[in-house]
């Protein structure tokens, strides 16, 4: 029976073998970072998936990269491959006829070809200007045939290359944020405090003279665990939280028959409405 420990050890030792190729990997990273125009990437078989992810990672920070299926390339999509551009091709065997058909065209266009292959002496490995051996001896399956560890190696290597390219190009964090407007990630990176309109709609505001019972009802109605204590001009003078109430109760204080000003925090942490949601979270964690 294949044990998890054996599989992980085989994967780890294979990944560590890549360190012997560090100079070649750095050469590939610099070629990718210096690439003019759109980066074109190809992947044979199951390696198409990590290649797609590689292109998507670069696009997410504003670096134009596109995955091209080799069949589509032979029927018009080679138009995406510009003269003197950089092309990355991943093939474990390096002998995929479908992929090798496009190699002469890539070379004809004076492109820099980077190859990731387990067979550096293959046609792909010999054709490329930069060839990175994958150093995979075992796939981890009983037949040493299924693309398992090799795809782990390719994914790890491409992840590193994408990070190195981002570093070499000095891509600022703002580029990543600019390309992620949607979802929780978009809110975290691009949203500001004033965009959190749910807080304003619920209006959990009380005055220092508000009874603690009414303040607790306001907190419960707002469903945010806190209410702002404001003066007659809506200027913030403190906050009251569920935690403040629990601590007062544990101390035996008469919470229900007193007013907010005796239990509120008069010096809360604050942030500007124009500050980012990410900054607000940092303040909360500090």
């Amino acid at each position: 029976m294949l044990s998890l420990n054996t599989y992980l050890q085989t994967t780890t030792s294979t990944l560590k073998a890549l360190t012997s190729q560090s100079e070649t990997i750095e050469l590939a990273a610099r070629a990718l970072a210096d690439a003019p125009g759109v980066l074109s990437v190809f992947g044979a078989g199951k390696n198409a998936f990590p290649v797609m992810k590689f292109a998507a990672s670069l696009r997410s920070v504003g670096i134009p990269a596109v995955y091209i299926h080799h069949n589509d390339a032979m029927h018009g999509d080679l138009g995406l491959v510009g003269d003197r551009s950089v092309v990355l091709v991943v093939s474990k065997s390096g002998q995929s006829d479908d992929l090798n058909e496009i190699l002469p065209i890539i070379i004809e266009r004076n492109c820099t070809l980077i190859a990731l292959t387990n067979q550096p002496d293959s046609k792909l490995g010999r054709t490329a200007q930069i060839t990175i051996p994958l150093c995979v001896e075992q796939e981890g399956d009983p037949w040493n045939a299924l693309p398992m560890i090799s795809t782990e190696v390719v994914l790890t290597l491409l992840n590193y290359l994408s990070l190195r390219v981002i570093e070499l190009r000095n891509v600022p964090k703002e580029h990543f944020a600019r390309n992620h407007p949607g979802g929780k990630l978009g809110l975290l990176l691009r949203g500001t405090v004033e965009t959190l309109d749910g807080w304003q709609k619920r209006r959990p505001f009380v005055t220092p003279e508000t009874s603690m019972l009414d303040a607790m009802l306001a907190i419960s109605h707002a469903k945010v665990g806190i209410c702002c204590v404001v003066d007659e001009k809506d200027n913030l003078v403190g906050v009251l939280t569920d935690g403040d109430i629990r601590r007062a109760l544990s101390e035996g204080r008469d919470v229900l028959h007193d007013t907010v000003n005796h239990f509120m925090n008069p010096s809360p942490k604050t942030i500007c409405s124009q500050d980012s949601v990410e900054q607000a979270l940092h303040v909360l964690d500090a």
Side-chain angles (χ1 to χ4, degrees), residues 184-230:
K184 181 177 285 187
L185 184 59
L187 177 63
L188 180 64
L189 294 173
R190 293 171 55 89
T192 60
V193 174
E194 63 186 350
T195 63
L196 303 175
D197 60 351
W199 173 269
Q200 292 295 333
K201 290 178 181 178
R202 283 176 278 187
R203 302 278 304 175
F205 294 168
V206 298
T207 68
E209 293 75 29
T210 300
S211 71
M212 284 294 290
L213 179 59
D214 286 341
M216 286 188 280
L217 290 174
I219 292 175
S220 297
H221 178 71
K223 298 179 181 179
V224 289
I226 188 174
C227 63
C228 293
V229 185
V230 296

Side-chain angles (χ1 to χ4, degrees), residues 229 237-241 244 260-261 263-269:
V229 185
V237 295
V239 295
L240 180 71
T241 69
D244 295 324
V260 169
N261 60 310
F263 300 92
M264 70 181 191
N265 175 5
S267 303
K269 295 178 181 179

